[in-house]
Amino acid sequence: MTSGKVRPRRSTAPVVAVTGAATGVGRLLARRLAAGGRVRKVVAIDGSRGDAPGVLWRVADVRDPLLFSRLADVDVLVHTDVDGSPDTDPRERRTYNVRGAQTVVTACAAARVRHVVLVTSAMVYGAAPDNPVPLPEDAPPRAEADFGIVGDYLEMEETAAQAARTHPGLAVTVVRPAALAGPGVDTVVTRHFEAPRLLAVKGCAPRWQFCHIEDLAAALEQVAVGALAAGPSAAPGRPAPGRPPAVVAVGCDGWLEMAEVEEITGRRHLELPAAVTFGTAQRLHRLGLTPAPATDLHYVAYPWVVDCATLRSAGWKPAYDNASALRALLEESAGRRALAGRRLGGREATMATAAGATVAVIGAAAAVRRARRRRR
């Protein structure tokens, strides 16, 4: 005989872990998941505790091989703990980003996590004058694998591709946002808008597409627990879908032309030949005067607009358009000055603002000559 008591059925909602949950988009995502009621539990992972309420904190380094021991009850993991700062030493950044992605994927496979979401960037498509506008989401990555941040993203995506072969039970989705904007975002692209003039390459009209980090957090929630997710909890009340998509692009609808960007920013553009622009940038980088290689400058000169078809077909819509995302970027960078990705301070910033970009280019060339003389 039975006791007549009905045992409560275990919730089919997933347990979702978020790395980098103390700051940036990871913090926004952890807060969204905890407040949304679509998950059984949110596991927040970072090197230190953050302030996201209603989550279970597990302090851990994403590069620690013992990370798997912190994932015993996790169904889905979203990896946002990526260093994209232009000021980080490139080798240290590469080690952190690539080893972090590799450790996360391996730990998830060992802990039987069913779905990993890696955040990279739409920069992997490459920025080129002949890019279609927009790029289809399934376009092959054409970016150059150098020591810039794009090289980090390409290696992280290679980790995802290898996981499909070595861990067939683990689904991996790569999420590629357009140029990020919003609080705390500091990248080569955002620093472009800290310069006194906007760069343009002769013979090519740039197109600008942005992704506000709040929209990125909403998209990651959709990939992790919405209609794009893996498993029976992906769409309550419906049959379980197949494996989640391998690639998802995220960005505002459409794009901005240069004239629209000039109107919003209040800055005029400076048009230079491609050979002058990229040749000077590469020499400055080689001498250690600027943080980014010349290839990173392609992303402020050539189009890399993406079509967010997968999210759009799932009903996702960005809350920000390109104009409002650009205004958020300008608000975040107000009062800062940069040239070729290098932050300027004090007298440097005053001179750059007063003189404008033409003099700044001449000054950069003079700096190259002085550096060469010192090396002789």
Side-chain angles (χ1 to χ4, degrees):
M1 294 181 62
T2 62
S3 63
K5 294 181 179 180
V6 178
R7 299 180 66 179
R9 181 176 296 177
R10 177 182 168 87
S11 171
T12 59
V15 174
V16 180
V18 180
T19 67
T23 59
V25 70
R27 175 177 176 270
L28 291 175
L29 175 61
R31 294 172 72 93
R32 284 185 67 95
L33 290 169
R38 304 171 74 184
V39 301
R40 188 161 76 251
K41 181 168 61 178
V42 180
V43 178
I45 299 173
D46 211 318
S48 58
R49 289 176 61 92
D51 62 357
V55 305
L56 174 64
W57 283 98
R58 292 177 181 170
V59 176
D61 188 325
V62 293
R63 298 165 297 174
D64 186 346
L66 295 178
L67 180 64
F68 76 93
S69 65
R70 319 306 297 274
L71 306 177
D73 55 346
V74 172
D75 299 301
V76 183
L77 183 142
V78 183
H79 180 51
T80 74
D81 193 353
V82 179
D83 183 357
S85 171
D87 294 330
T88 304
D89 177 82
R91 288 179 175 80
E92 292 180 4
R93 189 198 62 228
R94 175 68 54 88
T95 299
Y96 187 90
N97 289 338
V98 175
R99 186 175 297 170
Q102 292 171 341
T103 304
V104 162
V105 169
T106 302
C108 286
R112 297 177 181 264
V113 176
R114 68 167 184 258
H115 187 193
V116 176
V117 183
L118 295 181
V119 181
T120 61
S121 171
M123 297 173 88
V124 300
Y125 291 109
D130 60 347
N131 272 348
V133 181
L135 285 156
E137 197 169 36
D138 60 355
R142 294 174 56 198
E144 186 174 335
D146 56 20
F147 277 102
I149 184 64
V150 186
D152 296 15
Y153 294 138
L154 288 169
E155 286 205 34
M156 292 171 64
E157 294 210 2
E158 179 59 28
T159 296
Q162 290 176 356
R165 298 187 292 269
T166 58
H167 307 297
L170 177 66
V172 181
T173 300
V174 172
V175 175
R176 299 169 174 169
L180 291 175
V185 177
D186 178 20
T187 65
V188 170
V189 174
T190 63
R191 290 190 182 188
H192 174 65
F193 292 94
E194 298 175 16
R197 297 279 288 275
L198 303 174
L199 176 67
V201 172
K202 283 187 177 180
C204 183
R207 307 287 197 277
W208 286 97
Q209 182 189 35
F210 299 95
C211 177
H212 196 282
I213 58 171
E214 291 182 8
D215 285 332
L216 176 55
L220 291 172
E221 180 184 26
Q222 182 83 339
V223 174
V225 299
L228 301 177
S233 60
R238 300 180 186 176
R243 290 175 72 86
V247 173
V248 175
V250 190
C252 299
D253 294 331
W255 59 87
L256 297 175
E257 304 283 352
M258 177 60 85
E260 297 172 290
V261 170
E262 288 184 319
E263 182 179 355
I264 293 169
T265 63
R267 293 175 174 85
R268 295 172 60 190
H269 75 274
L270 174 70
E271 193 174 75
L272 295 170
V276 172
T277 301
F278 302 124
T280 301
Q282 190 57 31
R283 287 192 293 274
L284 292 174
H285 177 64
R286 195 177 296 122
L287 291 165
L289 299 176
T290 57
T295 48
D296 279 13
L297 212 56
H298 290 182
Y299 295 91
V300 302
Y302 298 139
W304 48 294
V305 177
V306 291
D307 181 7
C308 310
T310 300
L311 283 167
R312 188 171 61 246
S313 65
W316 176 88
K317 296 181 73 68
Y320 287 79
D321 60 17
N322 283 298
S324 58
L326 176 54
R327 292 188 184 98
L329 184 158
L330 296 173
E331 182 179 347
E332 178 67 14
S333 62
R336 300 172 182 164
R337 292 292 179 268
L339 286 171
R342 177 174 174 261
R343 276 271 165 77
L344 305 177
R347 187 178 178 185
E348 284 182 313
T350 302
M351 290 175 63
T353 302
T358 303
V359 175
V361 171
I362 296 171
V368 171
R369 289 195 295 272
R370 287 196 299 272
R372 282 176 175 169
R373 284 197 295 269
R374 286 196 297 269
R375 296 168 76 184
R376 289 173 183 168

